[in-house]
mmCIF file of all heavy atoms in Angstrom:
data_model
loop_
_atom_site.group_PDB
_atom_site.id
_atom_site.type_symbol
_atom_site.label_atom_id
_atom_site.label_comp_id
_atom_site.label_asym_id
_atom_site.label_seq_id
_atom_site.Cartn_x
_atom_site.Cartn_y
_atom_site.Cartn_z
ATOM 1 N N LYS B 1098 112.731 -97.281 121.261
ATOM 2 C CA LYS B 1098 112.582 -98.533 122.010
ATOM 3 C C LYS B 1098 112.718 -98.282 123.512
ATOM 4 O O LYS B 1098 111.836 -98.603 124.278
ATOM 5 C CB LYS B 1098 113.595 -99.563 121.538
ATOM 6 C CG LYS B 1098 113.248 -100.148 120.172
ATOM 7 C CD LYS B 1098 114.164 -101.313 119.849
ATOM 8 C CE LYS B 1098 113.732 -102.004 118.585
ATOM 9 N NZ LYS B 1098 112.595 -102.887 118.742
ATOM 10 N N PHE B 1099 113.857 -97.755 123.934
ATOM 11 C CA PHE B 1099 114.126 -97.536 125.348
ATOM 12 C C PHE B 1099 114.875 -96.231 125.542
ATOM 13 O O PHE B 1099 115.577 -95.770 124.647
ATOM 14 C CB PHE B 1099 114.986 -98.672 125.923
ATOM 15 C CG PHE B 1099 114.336 -100.018 125.844
ATOM 16 C CD1 PHE B 1099 114.726 -100.941 124.887
ATOM 17 C CD2 PHE B 1099 113.336 -100.375 126.736
ATOM 18 C CE1 PHE B 1099 114.138 -102.186 124.807
ATOM 19 C CE2 PHE B 1099 112.727 -101.621 126.659
ATOM 20 C CZ PHE B 1099 113.133 -102.532 125.694
ATOM 21 N N LYS B 1100 114.738 -95.659 126.730
ATOM 22 C CA LYS B 1100 115.527 -94.532 127.192
ATOM 23 C C LYS B 1100 115.853 -94.815 128.652
ATOM 24 O O LYS B 1100 115.082 -95.505 129.333
ATOM 25 C CB LYS B 1100 114.712 -93.223 127.143
ATOM 26 C CG LYS B 1100 114.590 -92.585 125.803
ATOM 27 C CD LYS B 1100 113.872 -91.241 125.952
ATOM 28 C CE LYS B 1100 113.687 -90.571 124.611
ATOM 29 N NZ LYS B 1100 112.933 -89.312 124.738
ATOM 30 N N PRO B 1101 116.938 -94.254 129.155
ATOM 31 C CA PRO B 1101 117.232 -94.458 130.571
ATOM 32 C C PRO B 1101 116.130 -93.919 131.484
ATOM 33 O O PRO B 1101 115.895 -94.454 132.564
ATOM 34 C CB PRO B 1101 118.535 -93.690 130.791
ATOM 35 C CG PRO B 1101 119.140 -93.546 129.437
ATOM 36 C CD PRO B 1101 117.995 -93.536 128.461
ATOM 37 N N ASP B 1102 115.434 -92.877 131.030
ATOM 38 C CA ASP B 1102 114.379 -92.276 131.848
ATOM 39 C C ASP B 1102 113.280 -91.743 130.935
ATOM 40 O O ASP B 1102 113.519 -90.814 130.155
ATOM 41 C CB ASP B 1102 114.971 -91.145 132.700
ATOM 42 C CG ASP B 1102 113.947 -90.486 133.611
ATOM 43 O OD1 ASP B 1102 112.821 -91.036 133.773
ATOM 44 O OD2 ASP B 1102 114.261 -89.427 134.169
ATOM 45 N N ILE B 1103 112.090 -92.314 131.057
ATOM 46 C CA ILE B 1103 110.964 -91.828 130.248
ATOM 47 C C ILE B 1103 110.194 -90.724 130.972
ATOM 48 O O ILE B 1103 109.220 -90.206 130.441
ATOM 49 C CB ILE B 1103 110.011 -92.976 129.833
ATOM 50 C CG1 ILE B 1103 109.356 -93.637 131.052
ATOM 51 C CG2 ILE B 1103 110.733 -93.981 128.957
ATOM 52 C CD1 ILE B 1103 108.257 -94.629 130.705
ATOM 53 N N GLY B 1104 110.641 -90.379 132.172
ATOM 54 C CA GLY B 1104 109.976 -89.338 132.954
ATOM 55 C C GLY B 1104 109.740 -88.044 132.197
ATOM 56 O O GLY B 1104 108.620 -87.516 132.217
ATOM 57 N N PRO B 1105 110.757 -87.511 131.510
ATOM 58 C CA PRO B 1105 110.526 -86.264 130.767
ATOM 59 C C PRO B 1105 109.420 -86.386 129.715
ATOM 60 O O PRO B 1105 108.650 -85.443 129.510
ATOM 61 C CB PRO B 1105 111.888 -85.977 130.120
ATOM 62 C CG PRO B 1105 112.865 -86.606 131.068
ATOM 63 C CD PRO B 1105 112.182 -87.863 131.542
ATOM 64 N N ASP B 1106 109.321 -87.540 129.062
ATOM 65 C CA ASP B 1106 108.246 -87.726 128.078
ATOM 66 C C ASP B 1106 106.881 -87.738 128.764
ATOM 67 O O ASP B 1106 105.908 -87.202 128.242
ATOM 68 C CB ASP B 1106 108.447 -89.016 127.280
ATOM 69 C CG ASP B 1106 109.607 -88.906 126.303
ATOM 70 O OD1 ASP B 1106 109.816 -87.810 125.750
ATOM 71 O OD2 ASP B 1106 110.301 -89.914 126.103
ATOM 72 N N MET B 1107 106.822 -88.347 129.949
ATOM 73 C CA MET B 1107 105.570 -88.341 130.701
ATOM 74 C C MET B 1107 105.220 -86.932 131.176
ATOM 75 O O MET B 1107 104.075 -86.494 131.045
ATOM 76 C CB MET B 1107 105.654 -89.300 131.897
ATOM 77 C CG MET B 1107 105.619 -90.753 131.515
ATOM 78 S SD MET B 1107 105.562 -91.777 133.001
ATOM 79 C CE MET B 1107 105.134 -93.357 132.288
ATOM 80 N N ILE B 1108 106.198 -86.247 131.727
ATOM 81 C CA ILE B 1108 105.977 -84.896 132.245
ATOM 82 C C ILE B 1108 105.475 -83.964 131.152
ATOM 83 O O ILE B 1108 104.589 -83.137 131.374
ATOM 84 C CB ILE B 1108 107.269 -84.337 132.874
ATOM 85 C CG1 ILE B 1108 107.578 -85.081 134.174
ATOM 86 C CG2 ILE B 1108 107.166 -82.832 133.115
ATOM 87 C CD1 ILE B 1108 108.957 -84.807 134.734
ATOM 88 N N ASN B 1109 106.025 -84.092 129.953
ATOM 89 C CA ASN B 1109 105.690 -83.187 128.852
ATOM 90 C C ASN B 1109 104.456 -83.618 128.059
ATOM 91 O O ASN B 1109 104.111 -82.977 127.073
ATOM 92 C CB ASN B 1109 106.886 -83.034 127.915
ATOM 93 C CG ASN B 1109 108.026 -82.311 128.596
ATOM 94 O OD1 ASN B 1109 107.810 -81.338 129.318
ATOM 95 N ND2 ASN B 1109 109.234 -82.797 128.409
ATOM 96 N N SER B 1110 103.805 -84.682 128.486
ATOM 97 C CA SER B 1110 102.621 -85.147 127.764
ATOM 98 C C SER B 1110 101.350 -84.612 128.416
ATOM 99 O O SER B 1110 101.352 -84.183 129.567
ATOM 100 C CB SER B 1110 102.586 -86.675 127.735
ATOM 101 O OG SER B 1110 102.369 -87.183 129.031
ATOM 102 N N ASP B 1111 100.288 -84.648 127.649
ATOM 103 C CA ASP B 1111 98.971 -84.239 128.136
ATOM 104 C C ASP B 1111 98.096 -85.441 128.447
ATOM 105 O O ASP B 1111 97.081 -85.306 129.128
ATOM 106 C CB ASP B 1111 98.293 -83.350 127.085
ATOM 107 C CG ASP B 1111 99.114 -82.099 126.824
ATOM 108 O OD1 ASP B 1111 99.127 -81.222 127.698
ATOM 109 O OD2 ASP B 1111 99.774 -82.034 125.762
ATOM 110 N N LEU B 1112 98.474 -86.592 127.938
ATOM 111 C CA LEU B 1112 97.780 -87.857 128.190
ATOM 112 C C LEU B 1112 98.810 -88.959 128.089
ATOM 113 O O LEU B 1112 99.665 -88.942 127.198
ATOM 114 C CB LEU B 1112 96.676 -88.095 127.142
ATOM 115 C CG LEU B 1112 96.000 -89.467 127.146
ATOM 116 C CD1 LEU B 1112 95.213 -89.703 128.438
ATOM 117 C CD2 LEU B 1112 95.091 -89.616 125.922
ATOM 118 N N ILE B 1113 98.721 -89.927 129.013
ATOM 119 C CA ILE B 1113 99.585 -91.099 128.951
ATOM 120 C C ILE B 1113 98.700 -92.321 128.701
ATOM 121 O O ILE B 1113 97.699 -92.517 129.380
ATOM 122 C CB ILE B 1113 100.389 -91.285 130.249
ATOM 123 C CG1 ILE B 1113 101.314 -90.080 130.466
ATOM 124 C CG2 ILE B 1113 101.187 -92.589 130.206
ATOM 125 C CD1 ILE B 1113 101.990 -90.048 131.821
ATOM 126 N N ILE B 1114 99.099 -93.096 127.702
ATOM 127 C CA ILE B 1114 98.475 -94.392 127.440
ATOM 128 C C ILE B 1114 99.549 -95.420 127.743
ATOM 129 O O ILE B 1114 100.639 -95.369 127.167
ATOM 130 C CB ILE B 1114 97.982 -94.506 125.985
ATOM 131 C CG1 ILE B 1114 96.915 -93.440 125.695
ATOM 132 C CG2 ILE B 1114 97.440 -95.916 125.717
ATOM 133 C CD1 ILE B 1114 96.464 -93.381 124.241
ATOM 134 N N SER B 1115 99.245 -96.326 128.666
ATOM 135 C CA SER B 1115 100.266 -97.246 129.148
ATOM 136 C C SER B 1115 99.758 -98.676 129.178
ATOM 137 O O SER B 1115 98.565 -98.919 129.322
ATOM 138 C CB SER B 1115 100.664 -96.831 130.575
ATOM 139 O OG SER B 1115 101.571 -97.748 131.143
ATOM 140 N N HIS B 1116 100.707 -99.596 129.090
ATOM 141 C CA HIS B 1116 100.395 -100.990 129.400
ATOM 142 C C HIS B 1116 100.075 -101.055 130.890
ATOM 143 O O HIS B 1116 100.203 -100.060 131.603
ATOM 144 C CB HIS B 1116 101.565 -101.903 129.012
ATOM 145 C CG HIS B 1116 102.749 -101.775 129.922
ATOM 146 N ND1 HIS B 1116 103.232 -102.836 130.644
ATOM 147 C CD2 HIS B 1116 103.525 -100.714 130.254
ATOM 148 C CE1 HIS B 1116 104.264 -102.440 131.366
ATOM 149 N NE2 HIS B 1116 104.468 -101.153 131.140
ATOM 150 N N GLY B 1117 99.672 -102.201 131.386
ATOM 151 C CA GLY B 1117 99.217 -102.311 132.765
ATOM 152 C C GLY B 1117 100.267 -102.671 133.790
ATOM 153 O O GLY B 1117 99.922 -103.104 134.888
ATOM 154 N N GLY B 1118 101.543 -102.481 133.475
ATOM 155 C CA GLY B 1118 102.589 -102.776 134.444
ATOM 156 C C GLY B 1118 102.552 -101.802 135.614
ATOM 157 O O GLY B 1118 102.371 -100.592 135.426
ATOM 158 N N ALA B 1119 102.736 -102.322 136.817
ATOM 159 C CA ALA B 1119 102.654 -101.492 138.030
ATOM 160 C C ALA B 1119 103.656 -100.342 138.012
ATOM 161 O O ALA B 1119 103.336 -99.222 138.419
ATOM 162 C CB ALA B 1119 102.850 -102.362 139.271
ATOM 163 N N GLY B 1120 104.871 -100.583 137.541
ATOM 164 C CA GLY B 1120 105.888 -99.533 137.505
ATOM 165 C C GLY B 1120 105.494 -98.373 136.605
ATOM 166 O O GLY B 1120 105.615 -97.205 136.985
ATOM 167 N N SER B 1121 105.010 -98.693 135.432
ATOM 168 C CA SER B 1121 104.587 -97.641 134.492
ATOM 169 C C SER B 1121 103.382 -96.882 135.033
ATOM 170 O O SER B 1121 103.307 -95.656 134.916
ATOM 171 C CB SER B 1121 104.254 -98.237 133.123
ATOM 172 O OG SER B 1121 105.408 -98.782 132.531
ATOM 173 N N ILE B 1122 102.442 -97.604 135.637
ATOM 174 C CA ILE B 1122 101.260 -96.949 136.207
ATOM 175 C C ILE B 1122 101.673 -95.990 137.311
ATOM 176 O O ILE B 1122 101.246 -94.830 137.339
ATOM 177 C CB ILE B 1122 100.259 -98.000 136.737
ATOM 178 C CG1 ILE B 1122 99.598 -98.742 135.579
ATOM 179 C CG2 ILE B 1122 99.208 -97.344 137.625
ATOM 180 C CD1 ILE B 1122 98.727 -99.916 136.005
ATOM 181 N N MET B 1123 102.520 -96.454 138.240
ATOM 182 C CA MET B 1123 102.918 -95.602 139.365
ATOM 183 C C MET B 1123 103.676 -94.370 138.888
ATOM 184 O O MET B 1123 103.465 -93.271 139.399
ATOM 185 C CB MET B 1123 103.753 -96.394 140.369
ATOM 186 C CG MET B 1123 102.956 -97.444 141.109
ATOM 187 S SD MET B 1123 101.427 -96.818 141.841
ATOM 188 C CE MET B 1123 102.052 -95.555 142.917
ATOM 189 N N GLN B 1124 104.555 -94.540 137.922
ATOM 190 C CA GLN B 1124 105.314 -93.400 137.421
ATOM 191 C C GLN B 1124 104.380 -92.377 136.792
ATOM 192 O O GLN B 1124 104.497 -91.180 137.057
ATOM 193 C CB GLN B 1124 106.380 -93.857 136.424
ATOM 194 C CG GLN B 1124 107.317 -92.730 136.012
ATOM 195 C CD GLN B 1124 108.466 -93.205 135.136
ATOM 196 O OE1 GLN B 1124 108.492 -94.343 134.658
ATOM 197 N NE2 GLN B 1124 109.431 -92.331 134.920
ATOM 198 N N ALA B 1125 103.438 -92.833 135.998
ATOM 199 C CA ALA B 1125 102.495 -91.902 135.364
ATOM 200 C C ALA B 1125 101.653 -91.188 136.412
ATOM 201 O O ALA B 1125 101.443 -89.968 136.329
ATOM 202 C CB ALA B 1125 101.598 -92.659 134.382
ATOM 203 N N LEU B 1126 101.187 -91.914 137.419
ATOM 204 C CA LEU B 1126 100.372 -91.296 138.462
ATOM 205 C C LEU B 1126 101.175 -90.299 139.280
ATOM 206 O O LEU B 1126 100.652 -89.263 139.698
ATOM 207 C CB LEU B 1126 99.763 -92.366 139.368
ATOM 208 C CG LEU B 1126 98.697 -93.260 138.726
ATOM 209 C CD1 LEU B 1126 98.254 -94.336 139.705
ATOM 210 C CD2 LEU B 1126 97.522 -92.447 138.224
ATOM 211 N N ASP B 1127 102.457 -90.592 139.522
ATOM 212 C CA ASP B 1127 103.305 -89.660 140.273
ATOM 213 C C ASP B 1127 103.412 -88.308 139.576
ATOM 214 O O ASP B 1127 103.576 -87.284 140.225
ATOM 215 C CB ASP B 1127 104.705 -90.236 140.473
ATOM 216 C CG ASP B 1127 104.776 -91.213 141.639
ATOM 217 O OD1 ASP B 1127 103.844 -91.224 142.478
ATOM 218 O OD2 ASP B 1127 105.768 -91.966 141.720
ATOM 219 N N TYR B 1128 103.316 -88.300 138.259
ATOM 220 C CA TYR B 1128 103.395 -87.040 137.514
ATOM 221 C C TYR B 1128 102.048 -86.341 137.391
ATOM 222 O O TYR B 1128 101.957 -85.259 136.821
ATOM 223 C CB TYR B 1128 104.007 -87.269 136.124
ATOM 224 C CG TYR B 1128 105.451 -87.692 136.182
ATOM 225 C CD1 TYR B 1128 105.882 -88.839 135.535
ATOM 226 C CD2 TYR B 1128 106.394 -86.947 136.888
ATOM 227 C CE1 TYR B 1128 107.208 -89.236 135.587
ATOM 228 C CE2 TYR B 1128 107.716 -87.336 136.954
ATOM 229 C CZ TYR B 1128 108.118 -88.485 136.298
ATOM 230 O OH TYR B 1128 109.424 -88.873 136.362
ATOM 231 N N GLY B 1129 100.995 -86.963 137.897
ATOM 232 C CA GLY B 1129 99.680 -86.334 137.903
ATOM 233 C C GLY B 1129 99.061 -86.170 136.526
ATOM 234 O O GLY B 1129 98.247 -85.286 136.306
ATOM 235 N N LYS B 1130 99.434 -87.035 135.607
ATOM 236 C CA LYS B 1130 98.920 -86.944 134.238
ATOM 237 C C LYS B 1130 97.705 -87.847 134.058
ATOM 238 O O LYS B 1130 97.616 -88.907 134.679
ATOM 239 C CB LYS B 1130 99.999 -87.364 133.229
ATOM 240 C CG LYS B 1130 101.221 -86.480 133.236
ATOM 241 C CD LYS B 1130 100.876 -85.081 132.789
ATOM 242 C CE LYS B 1130 102.099 -84.183 132.784
ATOM 243 N NZ LYS B 1130 101.849 -82.922 132.117
ATOM 244 N N PRO B 1131 96.765 -87.454 133.208
ATOM 245 C CA PRO B 1131 95.656 -88.358 132.888
ATOM 246 C C PRO B 1131 96.224 -89.647 132.305
ATOM 247 O O PRO B 1131 97.136 -89.617 131.485
ATOM 248 C CB PRO B 1131 94.847 -87.595 131.842
ATOM 249 C CG PRO B 1131 95.262 -86.176 131.974
ATOM 250 C CD PRO B 1131 96.668 -86.189 132.484
ATOM 251 N N LEU B 1132 95.674 -90.770 132.766
ATOM 252 C CA LEU B 1132 96.237 -92.065 132.402
ATOM 253 C C LEU B 1132 95.147 -93.007 131.918
ATOM 254 O O LEU B 1132 94.126 -93.184 132.582
ATOM 255 C CB LEU B 1132 96.944 -92.670 133.622
ATOM 256 C CG LEU B 1132 97.522 -94.075 133.480
ATOM 257 C CD1 LEU B 1132 98.566 -94.148 132.365
ATOM 258 C CD2 LEU B 1132 98.137 -94.512 134.809
ATOM 259 N N LEU B 1133 95.397 -93.607 130.768
ATOM 260 C CA LEU B 1133 94.543 -94.654 130.216
ATOM 261 C C LEU B 1133 95.396 -95.909 130.096
ATOM 262 O O LEU B 1133 96.365 -95.936 129.335
ATOM 263 C CB LEU B 1133 93.989 -94.240 128.850
ATOM 264 C CG LEU B 1133 93.109 -95.254 128.126
ATOM 265 C CD1 LEU B 1133 91.906 -95.682 128.964
ATOM 266 C CD2 LEU B 1133 92.641 -94.684 126.786
ATOM 267 N N VAL B 1134 95.070 -96.912 130.879
ATOM 268 C CA VAL B 1134 95.815 -98.165 130.883
ATOM 269 C C VAL B 1134 95.149 -99.132 129.915
ATOM 270 O O VAL B 1134 93.931 -99.312 129.936
ATOM 271 C CB VAL B 1134 95.858 -98.766 132.305
ATOM 272 C CG1 VAL B 1134 96.441 -100.177 132.294
ATOM 273 C CG2 VAL B 1134 96.670 -97.868 133.229
ATOM 274 N N VAL B 1135 95.974 -99.758 129.084
ATOM 275 C CA VAL B 1135 95.482 -100.744 128.132
ATOM 276 C C VAL B 1135 95.985 -102.114 128.579
ATOM 277 O O VAL B 1135 97.189 -102.354 128.642
ATOM 278 C CB VAL B 1135 95.941 -100.430 126.694
ATOM 279 C CG1 VAL B 1135 95.396 -101.472 125.722
ATOM 280 C CG2 VAL B 1135 95.507 -99.025 126.292
ATOM 281 N N ILE B 1136 95.045 -102.951 128.931
ATOM 282 C CA ILE B 1136 95.339 -104.276 129.473
ATOM 283 C C ILE B 1136 95.809 -105.213 128.366
ATOM 284 O O ILE B 1136 95.198 -105.278 127.302
ATOM 285 C CB ILE B 1136 94.070 -104.870 130.128
ATOM 286 C CG1 ILE B 1136 93.534 -103.935 131.214
ATOM 287 C CG2 ILE B 1136 94.333 -106.257 130.677
ATOM 288 C CD1 ILE B 1136 94.496 -103.595 132.292
ATOM 289 N N ASN B 1137 96.876 -105.941 128.651
ATOM 290 C CA ASN B 1137 97.333 -106.987 127.743
ATOM 291 C C ASN B 1137 96.635 -108.274 128.160
ATOM 292 O O ASN B 1137 97.051 -108.954 129.091
ATOM 293 C CB ASN B 1137 98.855 -107.140 127.816
ATOM 294 C CG ASN B 1137 99.381 -108.106 126.788
ATOM 295 O OD1 ASN B 1137 98.631 -108.873 126.195
ATOM 296 N ND2 ASN B 1137 100.678 -108.073 126.568
ATOM 297 N N GLU B 1138 95.561 -108.589 127.492
ATOM 298 C CA GLU B 1138 94.735 -109.741 127.858
ATOM 299 C C GLU B 1138 95.427 -111.079 127.624
ATOM 300 O O GLU B 1138 94.951 -112.109 128.090
ATOM 301 C CB GLU B 1138 93.424 -109.706 127.079
ATOM 302 C CG GLU B 1138 92.564 -108.499 127.413
ATOM 303 C CD GLU B 1138 91.298 -108.453 126.610
ATOM 304 O OE1 GLU B 1138 91.386 -108.289 125.366
ATOM 305 O OE2 GLU B 1138 90.236 -108.606 127.219
ATOM 306 N N LYS B 1139 96.555 -111.060 126.932
ATOM 307 C CA LYS B 1139 97.250 -112.309 126.646
ATOM 308 C C LYS B 1139 98.173 -112.742 127.782
ATOM 309 O O LYS B 1139 98.709 -113.831 127.762
ATOM 310 C CB LYS B 1139 98.035 -112.166 125.343
ATOM 311 C CG LYS B 1139 97.102 -111.988 124.162
ATOM 312 C CD LYS B 1139 97.843 -111.825 122.875
ATOM 313 C CE LYS B 1139 96.825 -111.700 121.752
ATOM 314 N NZ LYS B 1139 97.151 -110.752 120.771
ATOM 315 N N LEU B 1140 98.337 -111.892 128.795
ATOM 316 C CA LEU B 1140 99.184 -112.251 129.921
ATOM 317 C C LEU B 1140 98.470 -113.245 130.836
ATOM 318 O O LEU B 1140 97.261 -113.170 131.021
ATOM 319 C CB LEU B 1140 99.579 -111.015 130.726
ATOM 320 C CG LEU B 1140 100.496 -110.024 130.019
ATOM 321 C CD1 LEU B 1140 100.793 -108.851 130.939
ATOM 322 C CD2 LEU B 1140 101.789 -110.694 129.582
ATOM 323 N N MET B 1141 99.227 -114.115 131.429
ATOM 324 C CA MET B 1141 98.672 -115.131 132.304
ATOM 325 C C MET B 1141 98.015 -114.505 133.528
ATOM 326 O O MET B 1141 98.524 -113.537 134.088
ATOM 327 C CB MET B 1141 99.802 -116.062 132.763
ATOM 328 C CG MET B 1141 99.375 -117.482 132.907
ATOM 329 S SD MET B 1141 100.763 -118.606 132.817
ATOM 330 C CE MET B 1141 101.358 -118.567 134.456
ATOM 331 N N ASN B 1142 96.899 -115.023 133.938
ATOM 332 C CA ASN B 1142 96.151 -114.617 135.126
ATOM 333 C C ASN B 1142 95.566 -113.206 135.039
ATOM 334 O O ASN B 1142 94.926 -112.757 135.970
ATOM 335 C CB ASN B 1142 96.997 -114.733 136.396
ATOM 336 C CG ASN B 1142 97.445 -116.148 136.645
ATOM 337 O OD1 ASN B 1142 96.724 -117.097 136.343
ATOM 338 N ND2 ASN B 1142 98.639 -116.300 137.181
#
Side-chain angles (χ1 to χ4, degrees):
K1098 286 189 173 282
F1099 299 104
K1100 281 185 182 177
D1102 182 12
I1103 63 171
D1106 288 325
M1107 287 186 167
I1108 290 169
N1109 293 319
S1110 68
D1111 299 287
L1112 171 65
I1113 298 171
I1114 298 174
S1115 175
H1116 72 120
S1121 295
I1122 289 173
M1123 291 309 301
Q1124 187 174 10
L1126 292 176
D1127 278 344
Y1128 294 127
K1130 297 295 180 169
L1132 176 59
L1133 178 57
V1134 171
V1135 181
I1136 303 303
N1137 186 345
E1138 296 178 294
K1139 294 179 178 140
L1140 293 180
M1141 216 158 83
N1142 299 326

